[in-house]
Amino acid sequence: VAAPAIASVASATTSDGKPVEVPKDGPAAVAVGRAVEAGVSSPIKMGSKPKVPIGKKYQIVFVTGEVAPYSKTGGLGEAMDGLPNALAAFGHRVMVISPRYDQYKDAWDTSFWSSVTMAGKKESVHFFHTYKQKVDHVFVDHPTFLERVNGLSGAKLYGPEWGKDFADNQARFAYFCKAALLAITELPLGGVPYGDEVVVVANDWHSALVPMFIHAEKQAEPSKWKETKTAFLCHNAVFQGRFELEEGLAKVFDVPQQYIDSITFHMPLKVGKYNKKIMCVNTMAAGLRYSDRALTVSPSYARECATDPEKGVELEELFALGRCTGILNGVKEGVSPAEKNFVTKTKMSCGTFT
């Protein structure tokens, strides 16, 4: 699909006579192809590099438990590094909010202090910030994250080792979600907060309470979050943030009891049909139930999560309820057999890669 559009500018030159760098493969070429398929008459704008224009610019906020290169356990951290950068390159105003697990040397104290209500008490909120590749990176600074692991946390974000969770993960990430709302509405970045005219994308269970907290605040005060749209992006449906139901959780979260009831299920704490079922709170269910749209990392995975109990891991009805849409994950252009550095570092020496 991209070939005709690319061919039309392959021989073009810039104003100073230099040849235009035209993408022939990778995400850039795919973007051109999609624009042509959508009927855009001039999918490429000329300049030192060809660009695909967008019709409207948005404020987009990603809330995530990890973001590379600062924190990463797997694909979520990588995706939260690449996708925001790509959207910012299109001209959108983009922010990524994540916990401050370590002393990130390029993130500076914002001097912003506020508080959120947890278990009837005021818990302080403090942010660090850095601006890279046109993306605002905001880190929630709190002892529950920074002092959890001696030295560098590395990949020990959710537990002391793989398969073991910290005992207070439910409370620490509920606090994180509440703090993220303050970063969106009150933290001045470039002199101006993002405010409520935003698209908020919550990623995996660690930030799945964000759509629920926004919904609860809108119910209590209809003027709040009036212009906000929310999406829940599921990278892996297996990890759902299941916790045993405890009395008084609504007070801990500072939400009406109906919200806790709506995400409480009779299911095993650990995924597996032969495990003992108990009444437990499913954190991922909050993102699916209260977001405006549910997303996954590919169209096929979206279909599977909404129809297959094994893939949806007992939440397939909620995936279907959220009109789950799959948007295929991108791949960095450097990850290609056409890139000599990639081939050299991976030591590819056979077949078509030689």
Side-chain angles (χ1 to χ4, degrees):
V1 177
I6 293 172
S8 67
V9 294
S11 59
T13 58
T14 61
S15 57
D16 56 2
K18 294 181 180 179
V20 174
E21 298 177 34
V22 181
K24 295 180 175 62
D25 56 15
V30 172
V32 173
R34 285 176 176 169
V36 172
E37 193 174 38
V40 178
S41 58
S42 299
I44 298 178
K45 283 189 175 180
M46 305 310 296
S48 59
K49 287 187 178 182
K51 296 180 180 179
V52 179
I54 57 173
K56 184 177 180 180
K57 294 183 181 180
Y58 294 90
Q59 293 191 124
I60 306 170
V61 178
F62 292 90
V63 187
T64 176
E66 57 187 82
V67 54
Y70 304 99
S71 53
K72 185 182 72 170
T73 63
L76 172 60
E78 286 285 0
M80 290 300 98
D81 174 32
L83 180 56
N85 291 345
L87 290 172
F90 275 125
H92 302 294
R93 188 187 187 198
V94 182
M95 170 165 53
V96 179
I97 306 172
S98 63
R100 184 173 179 253
Y101 298 105
D102 287 318
Q103 302 275 2
Y104 305 132
K105 61 181 181 180
D106 53 355
W108 294 85
D109 191 337
T110 63
S111 298
F112 176 95
W113 287 91
S114 187
S115 64
V116 295
T117 302
M118 294 287 295
K121 300 177 181 178
K122 295 294 184 180
E123 192 69 32
S124 64
V125 174
H126 183 215
F127 300 118
F128 278 65
H129 171 257
T130 187
Y131 185 73
K132 283 195 168 185
Q133 293 185 271
K134 302 181 180 179
V135 174
D136 287 302
H137 286 273
V138 173
F139 302 98
V140 177
D141 180 51
H142 193 274
T144 194
F145 301 114
L146 187 60
E147 296 177 6
R148 187 50 51 106
V149 181
N150 292 329
L152 293 176
S153 296
K156 298 177 181 179
L157 310 181
Y158 315 120
E161 60 183 73
W162 176 257
K164 290 187 178 181
D165 294 334
F166 291 123
D168 61 346
N169 269 353
Q170 184 180 36
R172 67 200 288 248
F173 284 103
Y175 162 81
F176 167 65
C177 291
K178 282 181 168 285
L181 302 192
L182 287 182
I184 296 169
T185 56
E186 297 184 19
L187 178 64
L189 298 173
V192 182
Y194 276 59
D196 71 345
E197 196 171 333
V198 292
V199 178
V200 180
V201 184
N203 293 267
D204 280 350
W205 78 262
H206 326 98
S207 54
L209 292 174
V210 165
M212 189 180 86
F213 288 153
I214 288 177
H215 189 279
E217 289 190 6
K218 285 174 69 175
Q219 290 293 104
E221 191 177 335
S223 61
K224 293 190 72 174
W225 304 104
K226 194 174 181 180
E227 304 297 326
T228 304
K229 294 294 182 182
T230 59
F232 174 69
L233 176 51
C234 174
H235 299 255
N236 190 335
V238 172
F239 302 106
Q240 299 181 350
R242 298 183 182 186
F243 300 94
E244 185 173 354
L245 177 64
E246 296 182 12
E247 188 176 349
L249 187 62
K251 183 179 179 181
V252 174
F253 286 2
D254 192 34
V255 295
Q257 182 62 40
Q258 68 195 57
Y259 287 96
I260 304 302
D261 294 341
S262 70
I263 59 172
T264 300
F265 300 85
H266 189 242
M267 57 176 52
L269 272 180
K270 289 190 175 182
V271 171
K273 59 183 178 181
Y274 298 113
N275 292 332
K276 181 183 177 181
K277 292 185 177 182
I278 63 170
M279 297 306 293
C280 69
V281 172
N282 190 307
T283 314
M284 181 176 285
L288 293 169
R289 187 179 292 278
Y290 291 103
S291 62
D292 295 309
R293 198 63 179 261
L295 305 171
T296 63
V297 295
S298 77
S300 59
Y301 192 48
R303 288 191 297 271
E304 292 168 350
C305 287
T307 58
D308 185 346
E310 186 174 334
K311 296 293 184 180
V313 198
E314 300 179 82
L315 291 181
E316 63 276 3
E317 291 184 5
L318 286 182
F319 274 102
L321 179 69
R323 297 180 297 152
C324 190
T325 302
I327 300 175
L328 192 62
N329 259 354
V331 177
K332 291 183 178 179
E333 291 190 54
V335 184
S336 166
E339 287 286 333
K340 290 184 179 180
N341 288 336
F342 176 73
V343 174
T344 301
K345 289 180 180 180
T346 55
K347 299 180 180 178
M348 287 183 174
S349 60
C350 62
T352 58
F353 299 128
T354 55

